[in-house]
Amino acid sequence: MSQHVVIIGAVALGPKAACRLKRVQPDARVTMIDAQKIISYGGCGIPYLVSGDVSDPKQLRTTSFHALRDEAFFKQAKGVDVLSETTVLKIDRKKKTVLVQEKNAEPREISYDKLVLATGSRPRTLPIPGVDLPGCLPVSTMTDAMTIRDMVTKGAVSKAVIVGAGFIGLEMAEALSDMWGIETSVIEVADQVLPGVVSKNIAHMAQQHLKDKEVTLCLAEMVTAIEGEGKVQRVITTKRTIEADLVILAAGVLPNSELAKDAGLTVSSSTGGIMVNKTMQTSDPNIYSGGDCVAIENLVTGKPGLFPLGSMANRQGRVIGTNLAGGRDTFPGAVGSLSIKIFDMGVAGTGLTLKRAQTEGFDAISAQVIQFDHAHFYPEKTLISLELVVEKGTGRVLGIQGISENLEGLAARIDAVAAILKYKPTVQDISNLELAYSPPFSAAMDVLNAVANVADNILGGRNRPISSSEFAALWENRKSNNLIVLDCRDRDNAEKFLAKHPDFWMNIPSETVQEHVDQVPKDKQVVLLCNTGGRSYEAQIKLDKAGVTNTVNLQGGWGNLRIWGLDPTTEE
Amino acid sequence: MSQHVVIIGAVALGPKAACRLKRVQPDARVTMIDAQKIISYGGCGIPYLVSGDVSDPKQLRTTSFHALRDEAFFKQAKGVDVLSETTVLKIDRKKKTVLVQEKNAEPREISYDKLVLATGSRPRTLPIPGVDLPGCLPVSTMTDAMTIRDMVTKGAVSKAVIVGAGFIGLEMAEALSDMWGIETSVIEVADQVLPGVVSKNIAHMAQQHLKDKEVTLCLAEMVTAIEGEGKVQRVITTKRTIEADLVILAAGVLPNSELAKDAGLTVSSSTGGIMVNKTMQTSDPNIYSGGDCVAIENLVTGKPGLFPLGSMANRQGRVIGTNLAGGRDTFPGAVGSLSIKIFDMGVAGTGLTLKRAQTEGFDAISAQVIQFDHAHFYPEKTLISLELVVEKGTGRVLGIQGISENLEGLAARIDAVAAILKYKPTVQDISNLELAYSPPFSAAMDVLNAVANVADNILGGRNRPISSSEFAALWENRKSNNLIVLDCRDRDNAEKFLAKHPDFWMNIPSETVQEHVDQVPKDKQVVLLCNTGGRSYEAQIKLDKAGVTNTVNLQGGWGNLRIWGLDPTTEE
């Protein structure tokens, strides 16, 4: 007799596992259970549903050929039984049953041969008074999304506050501000947006862009209360009070692992995710799990981690489907690739940030470069700013992050590194990484190769770097820091800066620096600057050779600094 | 005393090696020799110079900060001596000298401690009468480019013939046809454009696009003579005579390895390239070489190969520079990543094509998929068509090629595979490859993951594929081939096809095929078709289960077929 597979959860991983199983083993009997009525939807599309980019909520529930993925579709097209609006109360591993509670019915037991836990995640709740007020909600379900969209389209929202500047928070900020013209503030407890995802330096570039788009950012700030009469009216933080008709809670997600834990399955103590092996089996060989509710190996740190992404769920679901059918597919783990569009900019990364690498115990540095995406002589081109995180000594590459208006061009570089991160590549592997080259696609020495070359030069002691953030801190107190900027560009580039800050700015083009070594002050902190960090690096080498070593090189030069948001020619 | 390094060749690798050496070892004395006056230029930009995309030839010779890279620049900014318009006649490895012939001077000897051969490549000449006529030339130097551009801007060219449909040939076809409105024909001895670079199937998609752009393609055709009175007037091929004011020879390049060979260095017999080890050293430890003139390991086949690309030259130049300075950097070899923009389409690939893989002795198959670059619900999206080449048995990935209007999105997928190809990945590695996901960047199950999944299904015997090219051949003689197309889409998609070809087209949506198994003819060749190849794959599984196995599945479905250029609703 054919096996019966029960799948708990029918959003992303559940349906994928079910359909894959049925394709490999058409005889299998599959029952998929979900507490909600709406199943099998693209949760990652919710911000775009709120913005109106996705006009009809059904678009998140249809196949690419416009079939609605409801219960009838799964029965007819896929041969999968669905029990929607049904809660699983308990798993009995000995009896191999689940106790389910259907709508308007008595609880009943369902037997399984194999069980799949696709229970997903839930928004992290905040212990703040007032979170239950109407108008304060997360954006984790289609219902949430439609509630917000209804409020917005009815004109009921003129001011919104978003709690959390992670992916969902920033996507929602764009959705509300850009598409609906709502005055939007984002409150984040960390001192940067996208904490843990990009460095402070890249985050600052994104922050500058958000400010340009009139999103108010309140960083290093905590919400202490949400207040209002019968509905949300204001948000109280550790620093201020902000009026709001809508408060969106986007402080991350937590894995739904309680059912697994109650059944005695192993759950990761560090992350709360259900533990699975490489075949996506839990500690019970008859039970598989994947998606937002599991902890899988972070292939850079070797530790269990949470990777709550639809892309993970889909790929893991396929592996589970294959294995349910008697195959032996594996999911090796994850490196943590991420991307987000913020208005006109893309931010993406993979692996560890510098800070995270250091927290994990790596003796790490980062290299930063800004360069055009295409050959510099090619007429159409856009800047890409990259930061490569590298372990000292071994030269092992631990991660990369970047920001650019060329979203796909940025993704090309990040994805190439994501692909090899599990093989523990070194800086040399990235220096020689063979991107598909021709002038409309990349540069002969691509920005990705270049950032590895810079890392190599930093590791080799030839390049003493300083980041835009570090420079900004020095510049703010330039007098007490005894600072001078040595501008290594041509006179016409340096002119405006010299005029504005004659005491803190000097100009010697890199090509002639060896002839003007005497002019370089030996008693000051000298920051070398050019447009990208390349010419100033050459100047540093020449000065070092001449015995002048009190210099640091501004990584990504004026190119990065401008995006970062510090313009010495306009500020006072 | 500091060492003296002599570098023969000053276009791409030479300058890179020289500058890197001087940065790592500023004391080194470097002499760079070139036969031409114009040095250090971006040769890959030549087609864009002809088109006018690059307006000023100096743009190919300037740094990103607009400094002209001439002899004076190398002396002043880089500390590198340049002897231009100087030919190297001979290398004496015992004496460690090169015999040089400067302009208007007697030959003289120059001593070296280390020597670098950066002699590059030259266009392959064709043994055709008339190739010496004025108006017939290659596009390998700045002089060639300016000659062509002068002819074109003066209005002296109304009809052009390009011999060779490789990268340069097609880039030139676009340059002449698109920017200058010249009636352009491309003659190619192979039966497809980009032979060796993409499959016939993807080539056909590019061919269709070239035809839409009114470029005439003459495939499987050879030029037998070029004729004219005092200048080019016509081209005679094995099939026709074409009038032409301009003939561009773009039949590939050959490595300039004669100097090395004469000096007794090892040269690859299969490729003609100078042999180097991983540190880019030739068979003489005091002589390095890289760029177009060397053979390096193809990391997929393990054999020596030629990779004449500016990107290779730049990366290898850096390795050589480091090693000249006493370091020990390595260049591991190449996987053969390539890209080209053809009007509005991008074509890119890495590793082996199916045909090349089979020629190399691999028992290989290919899988094809067409899918949107972004989440299918995201409003902005473009199709990407990919072909993954895989070894049977091992499931090892040997290469990937693709075509799309989204150039950078295509590059992102190709580059990710290029990055891991040297690690000998399997289909599973690509199925789980972790692209940076969010709806504006990719799909949760990205087209790259999808093409690996299809390959897995083909290898597992669940998907019996047929390509667009194979289908077109069957369709052409559909009656004698006893063919019927089973359209697995919804009625409204299939309608037009049914109406036009009632005898050869039938419609059963995939979701209901199990209920209509009896309608499927058992005595015909049945081709299953949907929009992408996904629904038809599900239909194939259902039919197999019902015992109906006389089916093949059109890979990429109607999506690929349309780009391929076969539209059954319009053809007779």
Side-chain angles (χ1 to χ4, degrees):
Chain A
M1 217 190 78
S2 63
Q3 66 169 339
H4 182 214
V5 173
V6 172
I7 298 175
I8 306 175
V11 175
L13 181 126
K16 185 77 200 173
C19 296
R20 172 68 179 168
L21 165 59
K22 288 292 289 185
R23 282 192 288 264
V24 182
Q25 191 178 72
D27 283 332
R29 193 158 68 86
V30 183
T31 305
M32 193 161 62
I33 304 172
D34 202 284
Q36 304 296 316
K37 175 71 186 161
I38 295 176
I39 59 166
S40 194
Y41 60 88
C44 340
I46 284 179
Y48 306 98
L49 185 57
V50 171
S51 72
D53 277 323
V54 173
S55 52
D56 183 347
K58 284 215 172 73
Q59 286 174 264
L60 299 187
R61 300 177 56 202
T62 49
T63 66
S64 55
F65 51 90
H66 310 300
L68 189 69
R69 296 190 304 260
D70 59 7
E71 296 95 325
F73 171 82
F74 278 97
K75 183 71 187 167
Q76 168 67 34
K78 305 289 184 176
V80 171
D81 294 311
V82 177
L83 295 177
S84 66
E85 297 181 273
T86 300
T87 308
V88 176
L89 303 173
K90 208 185 144 199
I91 301 164
D92 189 326
R93 289 165 51 204
K94 245 186 206 151
K95 285 165 62 188
K96 292 176 80 175
T97 58
V98 292
L99 184 69
V100 304
Q101 168 80 68
E102 285 170 278
K103 204 179 173 184
N104 309 322
E106 288 300 300
R108 66 178 174 109
E109 281 189 339
I110 299 176
S111 301
Y112 65 80
D113 296 299
K114 294 269 163 53
L115 181 67
V116 177
L117 301 178
T119 44
S121 60
R122 62 180 179 276
R124 186 190 295 273
T125 53
L126 297 170
I128 300 170
V131 288
D132 299 328
L133 280 171
C136 176
L137 73 172
V139 271
S140 67
T141 64
M142 294 284 278
T143 314
D144 298 334
M146 292 318 294
T147 305
I148 296 169
R149 186 153 136 169
D150 284 349
M151 286 176 72
V152 164
T153 49
K154 278 180 193 145
V157 183
S158 66
K159 291 175 183 184
V161 166
I162 295 164
V163 183
F167 289 97
I168 308 268
L170 296 187
E171 285 173 347
M172 288 304 300
E174 180 179 344
L176 296 176
S177 164
D178 193 40
M179 303 295 279
W180 299 103
I182 293 167
E183 209 179 304
T184 304
S185 303
V186 180
I187 300 168
E188 168 59 51
V189 66
D191 61 353
Q192 64 166 85
V193 300
L194 300 172
V197 175
V198 293
S199 67
K200 244 174 118 161
N201 210 54
I202 290 181
H204 205 281
M205 298 181 185
Q207 286 157 210
Q208 189 59 31
H209 188 59
L210 284 159
K211 280 180 202 168
D212 291 345
K213 297 293 181 180
E214 297 180 352
V215 171
T216 304
L217 295 175
C218 308
L219 304 176
E221 205 164 321
M222 214 154 51
V223 177
T224 53
I226 296 164
E227 296 180 352
E229 305 300 313
K231 68 184 182 80
V232 158
Q233 287 175 314
R234 73 198 79 85
V235 174
I236 320 293
T237 80
T238 40
K239 293 187 187 164
R240 76 198 82 198
T241 296
I242 308 169
E243 286 181 28
D245 316 302
L246 170 67
V247 175
I248 292 173
L249 302 173
V253 296
L254 293 173
N256 289 327
S257 53
E258 290 71 14
L259 204 57
K261 206 171 180 177
D262 291 346
L265 297 176
T266 308
V267 169
S268 149
S269 56
S270 57
T271 66
I274 301 167
M275 292 296 285
V276 289
N277 64 19
K278 302 279 177 199
T279 67
M280 304 307 294
Q281 237 168 7
T282 67
S283 53
D284 180 335
N286 293 314
I287 306 180
Y288 289 83
S289 187
D292 286 11
C293 59
V294 300
I296 60 168
E297 185 183 335
N298 181 316
L299 294 171
V300 182
T301 65
K303 298 177 187 170
L306 300 176
F307 299 89
L309 277 171
S311 48
M312 289 287 155
N314 267 281
R315 294 181 204 127
Q316 293 169 6
R318 188 175 189 274
V319 168
I320 291 174
T322 301
N323 293 343
L324 287 169
R328 200 190 174 282
D329 202 355
T330 57
F331 191 85
V335 293
S337 297
L338 297 157
S339 63
I340 179 174
K341 173 183 166 302
I342 306 173
F343 295 93
D344 311 328
M345 300 286 260
V347 174
T350 189
L352 309 181
T353 61
L354 178 58
K355 195 173 167 189
R356 172 82 192 280
Q358 289 166 341
T359 309
E360 291 285 348
F362 291 101
D363 185 11
I365 56 114
S366 78
Q368 292 157 49
V369 155
I370 190 164
Q371 191 183 301
F372 285 119
D373 48 0
H374 305 154
H376 75 267
F377 54 75
Y378 193 73
E380 286 164 38
K381 48 185 183 279
T382 306
L383 289 166
I384 294 180
S385 185
L386 294 180
E387 178 167 357
L388 188 72
V389 182
V390 174
E391 188 182 32
K392 281 190 209 169
T394 63
R396 180 181 165 199
V397 172
L398 301 170
I400 187 168
Q401 296 87 38
I403 186 167
S404 175
E405 286 181 26
N406 178 349
L407 272 67
E408 321 243 3
L410 173 63
R413 278 71 179 185
I414 300 298
D415 290 344
V417 177
I420 57 170
L421 221 38
K422 69 173 174 175
Y423 300 104
K424 300 198 175 13
T426 65
V427 163
Q428 275 67 37
D429 291 309
I430 310 294
S431 283
N432 290 324
L433 201 144
E434 197 180 327
L435 299 166
Y437 169 63
S438 66
F441 288 81
S442 59
M445 189 64 97
D446 190 73
V447 57
L448 180 58
N449 306 126
V451 78
N453 292 346
V454 171
D456 175 57
N457 290 328
I458 294 172
L459 293 177
R462 281 180 299 279
N463 189 337
R464 291 184 301 278
I466 182 174
S467 71
S468 293
S469 293
E470 289 166 335
F471 174 75
L474 279 180
W475 180 255
E476 197 176 356
N477 300 302
R478 48 195 173 274
K479 197 158 188 175
S480 62
N481 283 324
N482 199 21
L483 189 76
I484 187 144
V485 176
L486 170 48
D487 193 322
C488 304
R489 301 174 296 173
D490 296 329
R491 188 77 188 185
D492 53 347
N493 280 137
E495 198 70 67
K496 273 199 302 183
F497 297 80
L498 289 166
K500 183 87 181 180
H501 300 286
D503 296 342
F504 301 99
W505 212 275
M506 61 183 290
N507 175 230
I508 310 175
S510 170
E511 293 68 36
T512 63
V513 77
Q514 63 272 31
E515 297 150 30
H516 300 95
V517 167
D518 295 346
Q519 294 170 25
V520 182
K522 311 287 178 295
D523 56 347
K524 285 179 183 277
Q525 285 203 60
V526 181
V527 175
L528 304 170
L529 173 147
C530 68
N531 276 333
T532 65
R535 277 169 103 181
S536 55
Y537 160 59
E538 293 214 329
Q540 192 167 55
I541 287 174
K542 289 176 180 176
L543 289 171
D544 279 4
K545 194 191 164 199
V548 179
T549 57
N550 55 325
T551 64
V552 286
N553 177 27
L554 180 60
Q555 294 202 73
W558 168 234
N560 262 352
L561 197 62
R562 188 174 37 186
I563 303 174
W564 191 94
L566 173 60
D567 184 350
T569 67
T570 59
E571 55 107 58
E572 283 319 300
Chain B
M1 218 189 76
S2 63
Q3 66 169 340
H4 183 214
V5 174
V6 172
I7 298 176
I8 307 176
V11 176
L13 180 126
K16 185 76 200 175
C19 295
R20 172 68 179 167
L21 165 58
K22 287 292 290 184
R23 283 192 287 264
V24 182
Q25 191 179 72
D27 284 330
R29 193 158 70 85
V30 183
T31 305
M32 192 160 63
I33 304 171
D34 202 284
Q36 303 296 316
K37 175 70 185 163
I38 296 176
I39 59 167
S40 193
Y41 60 88
C44 341
I46 284 179
Y48 307 97
L49 185 58
V50 171
S51 71
D53 277 321
V54 173
S55 52
D56 182 347
K58 284 215 173 73
Q59 287 175 264
L60 299 187
R61 300 176 57 201
T62 49
T63 65
S64 56
F65 51 91
H66 310 300
L68 188 69
R69 296 190 304 262
D70 58 7
E71 297 95 325
F73 171 82
F74 278 95
K75 183 69 186 170
Q76 167 68 37
K78 305 290 185 175
V80 171
D81 295 311
V82 177
L83 295 176
S84 65
E85 296 181 274
T86 300
T87 309
V88 176
L89 303 172
K90 209 186 141 194
I91 301 164
D92 189 328
R93 289 165 50 203
K94 244 186 206 147
K95 284 164 66 187
K96 294 176 78 174
T97 59
V98 292
L99 184 68
V100 304
Q101 169 80 68
E102 286 169 277
K103 202 180 175 187
N104 309 320
E106 288 300 300
R108 65 177 174 110
E109 281 189 339
I110 298 176
S111 302
Y112 65 80
D113 295 301
K114 294 269 164 53
L115 181 66
V116 178
L117 301 178
T119 45
S121 59
R122 62 181 178 276
R124 187 189 296 272
T125 52
L126 298 169
I128 301 170
V131 287
D132 299 328
L133 279 171
C136 176
L137 72 173
V139 271
S140 67
T141 63
M142 294 283 278
T143 315
D144 297 335
M146 291 317 293
T147 304
I148 296 168
R149 185 152 138 171
D150 285 349
M151 287 176 70
V152 163
T153 49
K154 279 178 191 146
V157 183
S158 66
K159 292 176 181 182
V161 167
I162 294 164
V163 184
F167 289 97
I168 307 269
L170 296 188
E171 285 173 347
M172 288 305 300
E174 179 180 345
L176 296 175
S177 165
D178 193 39
M179 303 294 279
W180 299 101
I182 293 166
E183 209 179 303
T184 305
S185 302
V186 180
I187 301 168
E188 168 60 52
V189 66
D191 61 355
Q192 65 167 83
V193 300
L194 300 172
V197 175
V198 293
S199 67
K200 246 174 116 159
N201 209 55
I202 289 181
H204 205 281
M205 298 181 185
Q207 286 157 210
Q208 189 60 32
H209 187 60
L210 284 159
K211 281 179 200 166
D212 289 345
K213 297 292 182 178
E214 297 180 354
V215 171
T216 304
L217 295 175
C218 309
L219 304 176
E221 205 164 322
M222 213 153 50
V223 177
T224 54
I226 295 163
E227 296 181 351
E229 304 299 313
K231 66 184 185 80
V232 159
Q233 287 174 314
R234 73 199 78 85
V235 175
I236 320 294
T237 80
T238 42
K239 293 187 188 164
R240 75 197 84 197
T241 296
I242 308 169
E243 287 182 29
D245 315 302
L246 170 67
V247 175
I248 291 174
L249 303 172
V253 296
L254 293 173
N256 290 327
S257 53
E258 289 73 15
L259 205 57
K261 206 170 182 179
D262 291 347
L265 297 176
T266 308
V267 170
S268 148
S269 56
S270 57
T271 66
I274 301 166
M275 292 296 286
V276 288
N277 63 20
K278 302 279 177 198
T279 67
M280 305 306 292
Q281 237 169 5
T282 67
S283 53
D284 180 336
N286 292 313
I287 306 181
Y288 290 82
S289 187
D292 287 11
C293 59
V294 300
I296 59 169
E297 184 183 335
N298 181 316
L299 295 170
V300 182
T301 65
K303 297 177 188 171
L306 300 175
F307 298 89
L309 277 172
S311 48
M312 289 287 154
N314 267 281
R315 293 180 205 129
Q316 293 169 7
R318 188 175 189 274
V319 169
I320 291 174
T322 302
N323 294 343
L324 287 168
R328 201 190 173 283
D329 202 355
T330 56
F331 190 85
V335 293
S337 297
L338 298 157
S339 62
I340 179 175
K341 173 183 167 302
I342 306 173
F343 295 91
D344 311 329
M345 299 285 261
V347 174
T350 189
L352 310 180
T353 61
L354 178 59
K355 195 173 166 189
R356 172 81 192 282
Q358 289 166 340
T359 309
E360 291 285 347
F362 291 101
D363 184 12
I365 57 113
S366 79
Q368 291 156 50
V369 155
I370 190 164
Q371 191 183 301
F372 284 119
D373 48 0
H374 305 153
H376 74 268
F377 55 76
Y378 193 73
E380 287 165 37
K381 50 185 182 278
T382 306
L383 289 165
I384 293 181
S385 184
L386 294 180
E387 177 167 357
L388 187 73
V389 182
V390 173
E391 188 182 33
K392 282 191 210 167
T394 63
R396 180 181 164 198
V397 173
L398 302 170
I400 187 167
Q401 296 87 39
I403 185 166
S404 176
E405 287 182 25
N406 177 351
L407 272 67
E408 321 243 3
L410 173 63
R413 279 71 180 184
I414 300 298
D415 289 344
V417 177
I420 57 170
L421 221 39
K422 68 172 174 176
Y423 301 103
K424 300 197 175 18
T426 64
V427 164
Q428 275 68 36
D429 290 309
I430 310 294
S431 283
N432 290 325
L433 201 144
E434 197 180 325
L435 298 167
Y437 169 63
S438 65
F441 287 81
S442 59
M445 189 64 97
D446 189 73
V447 57
L448 180 58
N449 306 125
V451 77
N453 292 345
V454 170
D456 174 58
N457 290 328
I458 294 172
L459 293 177
R462 282 181 298 279
N463 188 336
R464 290 184 301 278
I466 181 174
S467 72
S468 293
S469 292
E470 289 166 334
F471 174 75
L474 278 180
W475 180 254
E476 197 177 356
N477 299 301
R478 48 195 173 273
K479 196 157 188 176
S480 61
N481 283 325
N482 199 19
L483 190 75
I484 188 144
V485 175
L486 169 48
D487 193 323
C488 305
R489 300 174 296 173
D490 297 329
R491 188 78 186 184
D492 53 349
N493 280 136
E495 198 71 67
K496 274 198 301 182
F497 298 80
L498 290 166
K500 183 86 180 181
H501 300 286
D503 295 342
F504 300 100
W505 213 275
M506 61 182 290
N507 176 230
I508 310 175
S510 170
E511 293 66 36
T512 62
V513 77
Q514 63 271 33
E515 296 150 31
H516 301 94
V517 167
D518 294 348
Q519 294 170 26
V520 182
K522 311 286 177 297
D523 56 347
K524 285 180 183 277
Q525 285 203 62
V526 180
V527 175
L528 304 170
L529 173 147
C530 67
N531 275 333
T532 66
R535 278 170 100 181
S536 55
Y537 160 59
E538 292 213 329
Q540 192 167 55
I541 287 174
K542 289 176 181 176
L543 289 171
D544 279 3
K545 193 188 168 203
V548 180
T549 59
N550 55 326
T551 63
V552 286
N553 176 26
L554 180 59
Q555 295 202 72
W558 168 234
N560 262 352
L561 198 61
R562 186 173 41 185
I563 304 175
W564 191 94
L566 173 59
D567 183 351
T569 67
T570 58
E571 54 108 60
E572 284 319 299

